[in-house]
mmCIF file of all heavy atoms in Angstrom:
data_model
loop_
_atom_site.group_PDB
_atom_site.id
_atom_site.type_symbol
_atom_site.label_atom_id
_atom_site.label_comp_id
_atom_site.label_asym_id
_atom_site.label_seq_id
_atom_site.Cartn_x
_atom_site.Cartn_y
_atom_site.Cartn_z
ATOM 1 N N ALA A 184 -9.105 3.263 3.391
ATOM 2 C CA ALA A 184 -9.140 3.753 2.016
ATOM 3 C C ALA A 184 -8.710 2.662 1.038
ATOM 4 O O ALA A 184 -9.282 2.526 -0.052
ATOM 5 C CB ALA A 184 -8.249 4.984 1.877
ATOM 6 N N GLU A 185 -7.690 1.886 1.411
ATOM 7 C CA GLU A 185 -7.264 0.784 0.543
ATOM 8 C C GLU A 185 -8.334 -0.309 0.494
ATOM 9 O O GLU A 185 -8.565 -0.923 -0.555
ATOM 10 C CB GLU A 185 -5.932 0.209 1.021
ATOM 11 C CG GLU A 185 -4.738 1.131 0.799
ATOM 12 C CD GLU A 185 -4.294 1.202 -0.664
ATOM 13 O OE1 GLU A 185 -4.922 0.566 -1.517
ATOM 14 O OE2 GLU A 185 -3.303 1.908 -0.937
ATOM 15 N N VAL A 186 -8.994 -0.557 1.622
ATOM 16 C CA VAL A 186 -10.101 -1.520 1.621
ATOM 17 C C VAL A 186 -11.191 -1.040 0.658
ATOM 18 O O VAL A 186 -11.718 -1.822 -0.148
ATOM 19 C CB VAL A 186 -10.665 -1.691 3.047
ATOM 20 C CG1 VAL A 186 -11.929 -2.561 3.024
ATOM 21 C CG2 VAL A 186 -9.623 -2.318 3.974
ATOM 22 N N ALA A 187 -11.515 0.246 0.742
ATOM 23 C CA ALA A 187 -12.536 0.808 -0.153
ATOM 24 C C ALA A 187 -12.110 0.690 -1.612
ATOM 25 O O ALA A 187 -12.939 0.445 -2.494
ATOM 26 C CB ALA A 187 -12.788 2.269 0.212
ATOM 27 N N LYS A 188 -10.818 0.853 -1.877
ATOM 28 C CA LYS A 188 -10.317 0.713 -3.255
ATOM 29 C C LYS A 188 -10.629 -0.675 -3.805
ATOM 30 O O LYS A 188 -11.123 -0.806 -4.940
ATOM 31 C CB LYS A 188 -8.813 0.948 -3.292
ATOM 32 C CG LYS A 188 -8.188 0.763 -4.668
ATOM 33 C CD LYS A 188 -6.676 0.696 -4.601
ATOM 34 C CE LYS A 188 -6.185 -0.657 -4.084
ATOM 35 N NZ LYS A 188 -4.708 -0.773 -4.114
ATOM 36 N N TYR A 189 -10.348 -1.710 -3.018
ATOM 37 C CA TYR A 189 -10.638 -3.067 -3.480
ATOM 38 C C TYR A 189 -12.135 -3.271 -3.649
ATOM 39 O O TYR A 189 -12.585 -3.910 -4.617
ATOM 40 C CB TYR A 189 -10.064 -4.099 -2.506
ATOM 41 C CG TYR A 189 -8.567 -4.238 -2.626
ATOM 42 C CD1 TYR A 189 -7.717 -3.698 -1.666
ATOM 43 C CD2 TYR A 189 -7.991 -4.885 -3.712
ATOM 44 C CE1 TYR A 189 -6.342 -3.797 -1.787
ATOM 45 C CE2 TYR A 189 -6.625 -4.989 -3.840
ATOM 46 C CZ TYR A 189 -5.797 -4.436 -2.879
ATOM 47 O OH TYR A 189 -4.435 -4.531 -3.018
ATOM 48 N N ALA A 190 -12.921 -2.720 -2.739
ATOM 49 C CA ALA A 190 -14.371 -2.867 -2.822
ATOM 50 C C ALA A 190 -14.916 -2.212 -4.090
ATOM 51 O O ALA A 190 -15.762 -2.780 -4.793
ATOM 52 C CB ALA A 190 -15.021 -2.268 -1.582
ATOM 53 N N LEU A 191 -14.419 -1.024 -4.407
ATOM 54 C CA LEU A 191 -14.926 -0.282 -5.556
ATOM 55 C C LEU A 191 -14.455 -0.855 -6.888
ATOM 56 O O LEU A 191 -15.187 -0.786 -7.891
ATOM 57 C CB LEU A 191 -14.492 1.183 -5.449
ATOM 58 C CG LEU A 191 -15.195 2.006 -4.368
ATOM 59 C CD1 LEU A 191 -14.399 3.272 -4.049
ATOM 60 C CD2 LEU A 191 -16.613 2.352 -4.790
ATOM 61 N N THR A 192 -13.260 -1.432 -6.911
ATOM 62 C CA THR A 192 -12.701 -1.882 -8.190
ATOM 63 C C THR A 192 -12.885 -3.371 -8.458
ATOM 64 O O THR A 192 -13.101 -3.775 -9.600
ATOM 65 C CB THR A 192 -11.196 -1.566 -8.267
ATOM 66 O OG1 THR A 192 -10.522 -2.181 -7.158
ATOM 67 C CG2 THR A 192 -10.955 -0.063 -8.246
ATOM 68 N N LEU A 193 -12.766 -4.204 -7.428
ATOM 69 C CA LEU A 193 -12.674 -5.644 -7.651
ATOM 70 C C LEU A 193 -13.651 -6.500 -6.844
ATOM 71 O O LEU A 193 -13.795 -7.679 -7.136
ATOM 72 C CB LEU A 193 -11.240 -6.123 -7.341
ATOM 73 C CG LEU A 193 -10.125 -5.536 -8.205
ATOM 74 C CD1 LEU A 193 -8.759 -5.963 -7.665
ATOM 75 C CD2 LEU A 193 -10.271 -5.968 -9.661
ATOM 76 N N ASP A 194 -14.304 -5.928 -5.822
ATOM 77 C CA ASP A 194 -15.112 -6.757 -4.923
ATOM 78 C C ASP A 194 -16.430 -6.063 -4.584
ATOM 79 O O ASP A 194 -16.603 -5.541 -3.475
ATOM 80 C CB ASP A 194 -14.311 -7.059 -3.647
ATOM 81 C CG ASP A 194 -14.927 -8.171 -2.809
ATOM 82 O OD1 ASP A 194 -16.118 -8.475 -3.000
ATOM 83 O OD2 ASP A 194 -14.221 -8.726 -1.946
ATOM 84 N N PRO A 195 -17.391 -6.047 -5.509
ATOM 85 C CA PRO A 195 -18.675 -5.393 -5.240
ATOM 86 C C PRO A 195 -19.410 -5.972 -4.031
ATOM 87 O O PRO A 195 -20.171 -5.256 -3.369
ATOM 88 C CB PRO A 195 -19.464 -5.627 -6.539
ATOM 89 C CG PRO A 195 -18.420 -5.785 -7.593
ATOM 90 C CD PRO A 195 -17.288 -6.509 -6.916
ATOM 91 N N GLU A 196 -19.190 -7.253 -3.732
ATOM 92 C CA GLU A 196 -19.832 -7.845 -2.557
ATOM 93 C C GLU A 196 -19.319 -7.193 -1.271
ATOM 94 O O GLU A 196 -20.098 -6.892 -0.356
ATOM 95 C CB GLU A 196 -19.557 -9.352 -2.534
ATOM 96 C CG GLU A 196 -20.319 -10.095 -1.447
ATOM 97 C CD GLU A 196 -20.076 -11.595 -1.514
ATOM 98 O OE1 GLU A 196 -20.229 -12.163 -2.612
ATOM 99 O OE2 GLU A 196 -19.728 -12.182 -0.467
ATOM 100 N N LEU A 197 -18.010 -6.947 -1.213
ATOM 101 C CA LEU A 197 -17.441 -6.228 -0.069
ATOM 102 C C LEU A 197 -17.983 -4.805 -0.031
ATOM 103 O O LEU A 197 -18.293 -4.275 1.053
ATOM 104 C CB LEU A 197 -15.919 -6.222 -0.164
ATOM 105 C CG LEU A 197 -15.155 -5.409 0.886
ATOM 106 C CD1 LEU A 197 -15.457 -5.895 2.299
ATOM 107 C CD2 LEU A 197 -13.649 -5.469 0.612
ATOM 108 N N LEU A 198 -18.118 -4.181 -1.191
ATOM 109 C CA LEU A 198 -18.660 -2.829 -1.250
ATOM 110 C C LEU A 198 -20.061 -2.776 -0.656
ATOM 111 O O LEU A 198 -20.379 -1.880 0.149
ATOM 112 C CB LEU A 198 -18.683 -2.346 -2.703
ATOM 113 C CG LEU A 198 -19.338 -0.985 -2.951
ATOM 114 C CD1 LEU A 198 -18.613 0.114 -2.199
ATOM 115 C CD2 LEU A 198 -19.391 -0.683 -4.447
ATOM 116 N N GLU A 199 -20.904 -3.729 -1.017
ATOM 117 C CA GLU A 199 -22.272 -3.750 -0.490
ATOM 118 C C GLU A 199 -22.271 -3.900 1.025
ATOM 119 O O GLU A 199 -23.068 -3.262 1.726
ATOM 120 C CB GLU A 199 -23.062 -4.875 -1.148
ATOM 121 C CG GLU A 199 -23.370 -4.624 -2.620
ATOM 122 C CD GLU A 199 -24.045 -5.813 -3.282
ATOM 123 O OE1 GLU A 199 -24.414 -6.770 -2.542
ATOM 124 O OE2 GLU A 199 -24.194 -5.804 -4.516
ATOM 125 N N ALA A 200 -21.379 -4.723 1.547
ATOM 126 C CA ALA A 200 -21.303 -4.906 2.998
ATOM 127 C C ALA A 200 -20.876 -3.616 3.693
ATOM 128 O O ALA A 200 -21.421 -3.248 4.747
ATOM 129 C CB ALA A 200 -20.332 -6.037 3.330
ATOM 130 N N LEU A 201 -19.904 -2.907 3.109
ATOM 131 C CA LEU A 201 -19.451 -1.647 3.697
ATOM 132 C C LEU A 201 -20.549 -0.593 3.623
ATOM 133 O O LEU A 201 -20.734 0.181 4.578
ATOM 134 C CB LEU A 201 -18.203 -1.151 2.965
ATOM 135 C CG LEU A 201 -16.924 -1.974 3.120
ATOM 136 C CD1 LEU A 201 -15.828 -1.410 2.233
ATOM 137 C CD2 LEU A 201 -16.476 -2.005 4.570
ATOM 138 N N GLU A 202 -21.270 -0.552 2.526
ATOM 139 C CA GLU A 202 -22.344 0.439 2.388
ATOM 140 C C GLU A 202 -23.504 0.126 3.324
ATOM 141 O O GLU A 202 -24.146 1.043 3.847
ATOM 142 C CB GLU A 202 -22.829 0.469 0.940
ATOM 143 C CG GLU A 202 -21.824 1.073 -0.031
ATOM 144 C CD GLU A 202 -22.307 1.039 -1.463
ATOM 145 O OE1 GLU A 202 -22.955 0.034 -1.849
ATOM 146 O OE2 GLU A 202 -22.044 1.999 -2.202
ATOM 147 N N ARG A 203 -23.746 -1.147 3.561
ATOM 148 C CA ARG A 203 -24.862 -1.544 4.421
ATOM 149 C C ARG A 203 -24.609 -1.139 5.874
ATOM 150 O O ARG A 203 -25.466 -0.565 6.535
ATOM 151 C CB ARG A 203 -25.086 -3.058 4.303
ATOM 152 C CG ARG A 203 -26.323 -3.569 5.018
ATOM 153 C CD ARG A 203 -26.665 -4.974 4.567
ATOM 154 N NE ARG A 203 -25.539 -5.884 4.678
ATOM 155 C CZ ARG A 203 -24.893 -6.418 3.631
ATOM 156 N NH1 ARG A 203 -25.273 -6.120 2.400
ATOM 157 N NH2 ARG A 203 -23.891 -7.254 3.811
ATOM 158 N N ASP A 204 -23.397 -1.416 6.374
ATOM 159 C CA ASP A 204 -23.095 -1.087 7.767
ATOM 160 C C ASP A 204 -21.592 -1.182 8.009
ATOM 161 O O ASP A 204 -21.062 -2.275 8.211
ATOM 162 C CB ASP A 204 -23.829 -2.046 8.726
ATOM 163 C CG ASP A 204 -23.602 -1.695 10.187
ATOM 164 O OD1 ASP A 204 -23.081 -0.589 10.456
ATOM 165 O OD2 ASP A 204 -23.952 -2.515 11.057
ATOM 166 N N PRO A 205 -20.898 -0.057 7.995
ATOM 167 C CA PRO A 205 -19.445 -0.099 8.218
ATOM 168 C C PRO A 205 -19.048 -0.187 9.683
ATOM 169 O O PRO A 205 -17.873 -0.355 9.988
ATOM 170 C CB PRO A 205 -18.974 1.229 7.618
ATOM 171 C CG PRO A 205 -20.119 2.162 7.843
ATOM 172 C CD PRO A 205 -21.370 1.305 7.681
ATOM 173 N N SER A 206 -20.019 -0.089 10.608
ATOM 174 C CA SER A 206 -19.672 0.026 12.029
ATOM 175 C C SER A 206 -18.894 -1.163 12.585
ATOM 176 O O SER A 206 -17.956 -0.961 13.380
ATOM 177 C CB SER A 206 -20.920 0.289 12.872
ATOM 178 O OG SER A 206 -21.888 -0.707 12.686
ATOM 179 N N PRO A 207 -19.203 -2.421 12.211
ATOM 180 C CA PRO A 207 -18.386 -3.516 12.759
ATOM 181 C C PRO A 207 -16.913 -3.415 12.356
ATOM 182 O O PRO A 207 -16.032 -3.723 13.152
ATOM 183 C CB PRO A 207 -19.040 -4.774 12.171
ATOM 184 C CG PRO A 207 -20.446 -4.378 11.884
ATOM 185 C CD PRO A 207 -20.351 -2.945 11.437
#
Side-chain angles (χ1 to χ4, degrees):
E185 289 286 2
V186 173
K188 177 193 76 176
Y189 285 105
L191 288 162
T192 57
L193 298 173
D194 194 342
E196 187 177 309
L197 175 59
L198 175 61
E199 290 175 8
L201 292 175
E202 290 178 322
R203 187 165 53 249
D204 183 12
S206 57

